[in-house]
Amino acid sequence: GGDRVSLGFLAETERQVQAHLQGHLERLPSQDVASRAIVAQMQADEARHASDAERAGALPLPGPIRALMRGAAGVMTRVAHHL
């Protein structure tokens, strides 16, 4: 039970970080090959971590919980930009 829920949160966190990195990738200039390669590798790592958690038995999280996690991450990102 509890481990599967924890793995579910881990998998969802990894997926959301992967999506956040996609936003960075879209803002990077196409000629910045080095930065783009680093972000792409980070994305691949996050995807692998999420898949590993799912293979280990992660429970899928309900939509409202996923949305709350995205909202909280957005607030933290905005606050960090102002510090």
Side-chain angles (χ1 to χ4, degrees), residues 9 12-13 16 61-78:
F9 276 99
E12 181 60 25
T13 299
Q16 291 189 19
L61 299 181
I65 291 177
R66 291 194 315 268
L68 278 172
M69 289 173 68
R70 276 192 303 275
V75 168
M76 288 185 283
T77 300
R78 285 190 294 281

Side-chain angles (χ1 to χ4, degrees), residues 2-40:
D3 287 347
R4 293 185 68 210
V5 172
S6 295
L7 285 169
F9 276 99
L10 174 64
E12 181 60 25
T13 299
E14 301 291 359
R15 296 273 182 235
Q16 291 189 19
V17 170
Q18 188 182 4
H20 181 73
L21 289 170
Q22 182 62 36
H24 283 301
L25 201 55
E26 290 168 4
R27 288 189 296 276
L28 281 171
S30 57
Q31 64 270 24
D32 189 350
V33 177
S35 295
R36 294 178 69 80
I38 291 167
V39 174

